[in-house]
């Protein structure tokens, strides 16, 4: 990255590198800052009962956005989906930041998620087209580094802005900041990565079956989330419809045997979803609990999670050591036990005599476990994937990740609302605690800890699969892209060695 004579900052790549890394940096900052501002936004909009929906709405639409962006990028180049995605991402932020009701806020998050899905895939297609192979590890390392700093300073900045200017500025300020790096990157993208891969080849049509399946996942997950938040007997109808749409779509996109944790690749895909879903669902409620139950300011509540960025990277580094390779299955199981223990420890602060710093310590250990688990699932996926299947298998990993986020957030949100969590008062003070519903929070954290423990068992199923003789070289699937989850995967590569970095080039779109 520092080699100006031929690195990613040399003259041919400088504008493109600075532009796309800056876009990733701002998206990363937004992703880490939202959790800090969300409790105040939900209370002001009288929407604490829909708190989980504000998170899962983003994941739901991003699943479809990733699939569609992959096909769009493959057939017409990444410029279109990138520009459209940035526009939708900014529009969603503005809609959420100016929303007068919680449902409008959630709609903004959904628009933002669709844009985010388009952007994530588009950026990685740009890397695959615009940079020669020997420079890709450098630009991927820059992407990874772009997540580490926001994970530490994002909650602090977001909390300070929320306290002094209001939560709305966390949302409306970022679109303006994206304009400068986008203006820098787009001309370079147009010059180096626009158009189809082979301009002389006949234009390929979109894979309509895959798009229908992705749409089915998003629609089904959204209906389940809505049913979980609207706790009336009539909610059985959208829940049943959501399940009827979701199940066949999932079965069509995930490896056979995933749902029963078949040994090898299916268990890898399942573990990724179990780990990501339990962790994200629990983490989403931590700031809300600290603000409403312990009276912390948004800044302090956000800081309780800040150290996790560093320990996540440390966990990724530990799993990348060659000495750990024979013990990868045990390492994964131990990581999930750490995650479960962290989730169980967090709600102890509902007891007034327990100091709030326990949350920071517990979450540091949980993030360390996640660093080991998430990195290992990516490594194992490529090891167990023949070259021809690496892309589609990586896509399945991404779908498992995003879908579990939605489903477990829906379950956690429903339990939270059912036990009175939604009646937390709509106080307007940044640090004003207005209500006490400890059982509602316990109903979120304890089940997620149980799910994490199930993940420890799934980790024991990773052994015993046949490893392909050929090296699992990343290959594009029908969507034509190799990309996985940026939000969870990319930030753990920053301390990994070259062997771990190779897998970052195997990120497949959902």
């Amino acid at each position: 990255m520092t080699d100006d004579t031929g690195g990613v900052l040399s003259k041919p790549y400088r504008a493109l590198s600075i532009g796309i890394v800056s876009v990733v940096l701002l998206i990363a900052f937004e992703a880490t800052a939202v959790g800090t501002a969300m409790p105040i936004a939900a209370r002001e909009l009288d929407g604490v009962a829909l708190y989980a929906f504000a998170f899962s709405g983003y994941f739901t639409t991003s699943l479809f956005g990733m699939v569609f962006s992959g096909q769009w990028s493959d057939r017409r180049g990444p410029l279109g989906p990138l520009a459209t995605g940035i526009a939708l991402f900014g529009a969603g932020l503005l809609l959420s930041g100016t929303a007068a009701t919680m449902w409008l806020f959630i709609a903004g998050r959904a628009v933002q998620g669709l844009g985010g899905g388009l952007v994530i895939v588009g950026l990685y297609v740009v890397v695959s087209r615009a940079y020669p192979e020997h420079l890709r590890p450098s630009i991927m390392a820059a992407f990874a580094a772009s997540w580490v700093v926001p994970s530490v300073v994002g909650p602090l900045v977001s909390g300070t802005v929320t306290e002094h200017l209001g939560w709305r500025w966390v949302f409306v300020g970022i679109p303006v900041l994206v304009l400068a790096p986008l203006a820098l990157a787009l001309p370079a993208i147009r010059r180096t990565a626009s158009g189809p891969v082979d301009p002389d080849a006949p234009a390929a049509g979109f894979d309509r079956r895959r798009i229908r399946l992705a749409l089915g996942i998003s629609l089904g997950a959204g209906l389940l989330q809505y049913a979980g938040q609207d706790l009336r007997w009539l909610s059985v109808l959208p829940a049943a419809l959501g399940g009827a749409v979701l199940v066949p779509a999932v079965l069509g996109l995930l490896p056979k045997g995933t749902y029963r944790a078949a040994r090898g690749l299916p268990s890898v895909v399942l573990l990724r979803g179990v780990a990501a879903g339990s962790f994200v669902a629990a983490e989403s409620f931590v700031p809300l609990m600290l603000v409403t139950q312990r009276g912390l300011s948004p800044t302090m509540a956000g800081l309780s999670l800040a150290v996790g960025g560093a320990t996540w990277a440390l966990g990724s580094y530990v799993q990348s050591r060659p000495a750990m390779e024979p013990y990868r299955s045990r390492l994964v199981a131990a990581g999930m036990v750490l995650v479960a223990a962290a989730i169980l420890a967090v709600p102890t602060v509902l007891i007034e005599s327990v100091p709030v710093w326990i949350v920071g310590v517990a979450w540091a250990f949980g993030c360390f476990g996640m660093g080991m688990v998430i990195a290992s699932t990516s490594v194992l996926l490529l090891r167990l994937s023949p070259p021809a299947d690496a892309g589609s298998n990586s896509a399945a990993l991404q779908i498992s990740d995003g879908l579990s986020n939605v489903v477990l957030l829906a379950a956690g949100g429903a339990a939270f609302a059912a036990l009175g969590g939604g009646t937390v008062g709509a106080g307007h003070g940044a640090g004003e605690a207005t209500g006490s519903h400890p059982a509602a929070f316990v109903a979120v954290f304890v089940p997620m800890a149980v799910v994490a423990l199930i993940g420890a068992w799934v980790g024991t199923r990773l052994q015993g699969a046949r490893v392909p003789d050929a090296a699992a070289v990343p290959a594009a699937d029908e969507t034509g892209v190799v990309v996985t989850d940026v939000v969870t995967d990319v930030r753990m590569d920053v301390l990994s060695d070259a062997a771990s970095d190779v897998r970052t080039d195997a990120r497949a779109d959902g």
Side-chain angles (χ1 to χ4, degrees):
M1 177 118 184
T2 58
D3 183 8
D4 289 347
T5 63
V8 296
L9 286 181
S10 60
K11 188 174 181 180
Y13 304 105
R14 186 178 300 134
L16 177 62
S17 298
I18 294 175
I20 62 177
V21 170
S22 298
V23 169
V24 172
L25 180 68
L26 290 170
I27 291 176
F29 173 78
E30 186 277 335
T32 57
V34 161
T36 304
M38 196 73 79
I40 306 303
R43 291 198 314 186
E44 283 198 10
L45 297 174
D46 196 22
V48 175
L50 300 173
Y51 184 79
F53 214 162
F55 286 96
S56 61
Y58 181 99
F59 294 118
T60 299
T61 54
S62 67
L63 287 171
F64 177 77
M66 289 176 186
V67 174
F68 189 76
S69 180
Q71 298 206 20
W72 189 356
S73 297
D74 185 44
R75 287 149 180 81
R76 301 177 186 175
L79 186 62
L82 245 179
T84 304
I86 287 289
L88 289 173
F89 190 83
L93 283 168
L94 291 174
L95 180 57
S96 292
T98 57
T101 67
M102 192 62 177
W103 279 113
L104 279 177
F105 182 88
I106 292 170
R109 291 285 289 163
V111 173
Q112 185 187 347
L114 179 60
L118 292 172
V119 170
I120 287 170
V121 173
L123 283 174
Y124 281 86
V125 177
V126 168
V127 171
S128 69
R129 292 194 183 188
Y131 294 88
E133 186 174 353
H134 73 279
L135 290 182
R136 290 173 190 166
S138 296
I139 196 66
M140 296 302 291
F143 279 11
S146 297
W147 279 88
V148 173
V149 175
S151 69
V152 176
V153 304
L156 176 61
V157 174
S158 175
T160 302
V161 170
T162 300
E163 287 184 56
H164 296 285
L165 297 178
W167 64 267
R168 296 182 184 275
W169 285 100
V170 175
F171 292 86
V172 302
I174 293 176
V176 177
L177 298 176
V178 173
L179 294 177
L182 194 63
L184 188 65
L186 284 182
I189 294 172
R190 184 179 292 108
R191 185 176 63 254
T192 61
S194 61
V197 176
D198 185 359
D200 299 326
F206 285 82
D207 186 340
R208 295 182 180 180
R209 174 184 174 275
R210 190 173 180 83
I211 290 178
R212 285 196 302 269
L213 290 175
L215 185 60
I217 284 181
S218 295
L219 178 61
L223 287 170
L224 286 177
Q225 177 67 47
Y226 175 79
Q229 298 299 301
D230 187 24
L231 299 178
R232 296 178 298 172
W233 69 270
L234 285 176
S235 300
V236 174
L237 296 178
L241 180 59
V245 173
L246 182 65
V247 171
V250 171
L251 293 178
L253 291 174
L254 296 185
K256 185 178 180 181
T258 298
Y259 71 95
R260 56 183 174 85
R263 286 193 178 275
L265 182 64
S267 288
V268 172
V269 173
L270 178 61
L271 177 61
R272 178 59 168 264
V274 168
S278 60
F279 183 85
V280 169
E283 185 181 51
S284 299
F285 282 87
V286 172
L288 180 68
M289 180 179 65
L290 293 177
V291 169
T292 60
Q293 305 304 303
R294 294 302 295 264
L296 265 65
S297 68
T299 302
M300 294 306 298
L303 281 176
S304 67
L305 305 177
V307 71
T311 57
W312 186 302
L314 181 60
S316 177
Y317 173 77
V318 168
Q319 67 80 35
S320 72
R321 298 297 86 199
M324 294 295 177
E325 190 56 42
Y327 311 104
R328 187 169 295 280
S329 180
R330 297 179 186 177
L331 200 70
V332 168
M336 290 308 303
V337 171
L338 284 176
V339 172
I343 295 174
L344 278 176
V346 165
T348 61
V349 299
L350 292 168
I351 304 171
E352 286 293 331
S353 59
V354 176
V356 293
W357 54 259
I358 289 295
V359 172
V361 174
W363 218 244
F365 280 99
C367 286
F368 179 79
M370 283 294 288
M372 294 193 297
V373 171
I374 298 298
S376 292
T377 55
S378 296
V379 172
L380 288 167
L381 178 93
L382 293 183
R383 180 181 302 159
L384 298 173
S385 297
D389 297 333
S392 58
N393 288 342
S394 296
L397 194 76
Q398 169 62 31
I399 292 169
S400 177
D401 190 318
L403 179 63
S404 66
N405 288 339
V406 175
V407 171
L408 291 180
L409 275 167
F416 181 75
L419 292 179
T423 62
V424 173
H428 297 275
E432 180 186 349
T434 56
S436 178
H437 301 277
F441 289 100
V442 172
V444 174
F445 290 108
V446 171
M448 296 310 151
V450 172
V451 172
L453 286 176
I454 293 174
W457 171 77
V458 175
T460 66
R461 308 279 294 172
L462 303 182
Q463 296 178 330
R466 182 181 62 84
V467 180
D469 294 332
V473 179
D477 66 352
E478 308 94 85
T479 61
V481 190
V482 189
V483 68
T484 53
D485 184 9
V486 172
V487 173
T488 57
D489 233 7
V490 76
R491 60 182 175 182
M492 50 193 181
D493 296 331
V494 67
L495 295 179
S496 296
D497 62 0
S500 182
D501 283 337
V502 168
R503 71 169 172 76
T504 58
D505 288 330
R507 302 174 177 268
D509 70 286

